[in-house]
Amino acid sequence: MNYIYSNMGTAMDVINPDGDSTNVNLKKQGVKTETASGRIMLMIPGQAGWKEKIFDGAKERIVISENAQESDLPPNTLPAFKGSLVMQKCDDKWIILNSGRAGAKFAFNGRNANHFMVAKGEKSLVARDTGILFIMIYLNNEGRVRKALHDGPPKGNEFSLMKDGAEHCFPIDSLCLLGKHQCCDFATAADSDFTAAIYEKNREFYVAPLDPKTPILVNSAPATGPSIILRGSTISIGNNHLTFNLPDSFDSAEVKMSTGIERINAEKLVLIPASRNSDGTSKSMLYVPAPGKSGFVGRDASQAHVVVNSRTVSKKHAQIISYDTNIMLLDCYSTNGTYVNGERISKRTVHPGDIVEFGEEKFILSYV
């Protein structure tokens, strides 16, 4: 395909034979990302206690794999790890993605999922059926995490922990870590850096033991795994006795007891937006065609099955051919190009965890 270049003004316009004109960056190289801030800390359990691995704030992509050649963790750091995870910086958040086969299930803060978002100052407890793999901590610019919101009774989307008459409140939608480590939300007198985690899942609240050497009781019953806690439950960690509380506005009748392990029934490949709209609102996730089917990506709904509303995306920008665990991506002579992991492509097999760009619009292929 031949292009007609028009050098009118300071920007260079490219007009393809289909008359699809838009501005183009002729020297685009690599994946364009915003400047990273904050660091990623991984806390990894072991026989001798918790090991710490810190990634610099400039790091924007971390791969954890049983394949030592592609993993950012040294061999034997996670001896029980099976599968592949990609941690990708997207705007001011990190996305943790299952980049292996969808059948390899991971749990993030108790939720069985194939991807999970972590905001600055927040944490994620990453586990498999073999047990806890690590705690991911996204430090803020000061190298800290969010602590208690305030003292006193909980309000709105908060829960509280009361000890010796003092009540401290935490956000319901964030992981709460208990222990003596500086990144813990609530300090305990136990010897371990991390003794327990509290999280909410489907309006149920759980406390999960993190240190096998530190026994945890919920209402005097041993908690050998994640255990449900209700309003007024007593959590005992060594000599610490904590009372769990919820605001009066939280309807405890909506809390249902779990009867089994959560399963992911519908597994589809999707393209997760890696940036926001210019006004700060979130972009929609894009569903790729079903396995064995194909479709086109573009900004013209009359020509494209997957519509991306952006002036940098051609009317019919690229073609997607879907398979069970990956997609084939073919550029349709687009003006601003199709990129995979920063490299302009004409045809490429794309796997979960890979970064795909249509013009200036960036996505990450993932399962959902």
Side-chain angles (χ1 to χ4, degrees):
M1 173 172 284
N2 296 319
Y3 293 108
I4 303 169
Y5 294 89
S6 173
N7 194 13
M8 300 175 60
T10 57
M12 180 172 286
D13 291 327
V14 177
I15 305 173
N16 68 28
D18 295 328
D20 187 8
S21 175
T22 186
N23 180 263
V24 64
N25 178 6
L26 298 176
K27 296 183 179 180
K28 176 177 176 181
Q29 294 180 353
V31 178
K32 300 181 302 304
T33 54
E34 297 181 1
T35 302
S37 61
R39 294 172 294 162
I40 290 295
M41 177 187 292
L42 298 186
M43 298 302 304
I44 303 166
Q47 295 292 332
W50 293 81
K51 295 179 291 184
E52 180 182 284
K53 172 66 177 178
I54 295 180
F55 293 94
D56 186 80
K59 189 83 169 176
E60 296 202 347
R61 185 177 176 87
I62 301 168
V63 177
I64 302 175
S65 173
E66 55 189 313
N67 183 342
Q69 294 182 341
E70 64 182 30
S71 181
D72 287 307
L73 288 180
N76 300 322
T77 303
L78 294 171
F81 185 84
K82 298 294 182 183
S84 181
L85 287 173
V86 168
M87 300 158 65
Q88 176 65 47
K89 179 77 160 49
C90 296
D91 281 344
D92 58 348
K93 294 185 179 181
W94 278 79
I95 301 180
I96 314 176
L97 303 115
N98 174 11
S99 57
R101 296 186 62 86
K105 298 295 189 295
F106 292 91
F108 307 103
N109 293 353
R111 295 172 174 85
N112 288 322
N114 284 312
H115 66 265
F116 191 79
M117 287 193 177
V118 182
K120 190 173 292 185
E122 294 184 348
K123 296 120 349 203
S124 177
L125 180 66
V126 182
R128 283 203 61 183
D129 51 2
T130 54
I132 297 167
L133 296 174
F134 57 86
I135 300 170
M136 174 192 175
I137 302 173
Y138 183 11
L139 300 171
N140 61 22
N141 294 346
E142 291 74 40
R144 299 173 181 158
V145 296
R146 295 194 299 178
K147 298 290 186 177
L149 297 174
H150 60 84
D151 293 339
K155 308 172 184 177
N157 291 324
E158 299 173 0
F159 69 86
S160 70
L161 295 174
M162 180 181 291
K163 178 185 175 185
D164 299 330
E167 194 168 11
H168 309 280
C169 296
F170 305 89
I172 280 176
D173 59 354
S174 295
L175 181 72
C176 179
L177 295 173
L178 286 66
K180 68 175 186 179
H181 193 273
Q182 62 179 354
C183 289
C184 286
D185 304 273
F186 193 92
T188 63
D191 292 333
S192 177
D193 284 335
F194 301 93
T195 56
I198 295 176
Y199 54 80
E200 178 270 339
K201 182 180 72 172
N202 300 328
R203 296 187 70 81
E204 297 173 341
F205 294 86
Y206 294 81
V207 58
L210 301 180
D211 178 23
K213 299 178 182 178
T214 304
I216 295 178
L217 304 178
V218 176
N219 297 330
S220 301
T224 56
S227 301
I228 284 184
I229 48 178
L230 303 174
R231 181 187 283 114
S233 292
T234 299
I235 306 169
S236 299
I237 305 174
N239 294 324
N240 294 269
H241 302 287
L242 314 175
T243 301
F244 176 80
N245 196 18
L246 290 167
D248 293 337
S249 58
F250 190 93
D251 186 359
S252 60
E254 295 185 27
V255 178
K256 300 177 182 179
M257 302 297 288
S258 292
T259 57
I261 299 175
E262 182 183 1
R263 297 181 61 85
I264 305 174
N265 295 318
E267 291 174 347
K268 298 179 180 178
L269 285 171
V270 296
L271 289 167
I272 302 174
S275 61
R276 292 192 179 97
N277 292 311
S278 57
D279 60 1
T281 58
S282 299
K283 297 179 180 179
S284 300
M285 187 166 54
L286 304 179
Y287 285 85
V288 305
K293 304 291 185 179
S294 68
F296 291 97
V297 177
R299 74 168 189 269
D300 187 348
S302 66
Q303 301 184 52
H305 305 84
V306 180
V307 179
V308 181
N309 186 17
S310 170
R311 65 179 183 84
T312 66
V313 175
S314 298
K315 295 177 181 177
K316 189 163 69 173
H317 194 103
Q319 183 180 17
I320 293 176
I321 303 174
S322 294
Y323 302 95
D324 287 334
T325 59
N326 54 51
I327 63 173
M328 177 68 73
L329 192 61
L330 300 93
D331 183 69
C332 295
Y333 301 101
S334 63
T335 301
N336 287 333
T338 301
Y339 293 75
V340 175
N341 295 332
E343 180 183 352
R344 188 164 186 167
I345 60 99
S346 58
K347 179 181 179 180
R348 181 69 55 86
T349 300
V350 183
H351 302 273
D354 287 340
I355 300 172
V356 177
E357 291 179 90
F358 306 110
E360 301 295 324
E361 299 298 319
K362 185 165 63 176
F363 301 87
I364 302 176
L365 185 67
S366 177
Y367 295 105
V368 69

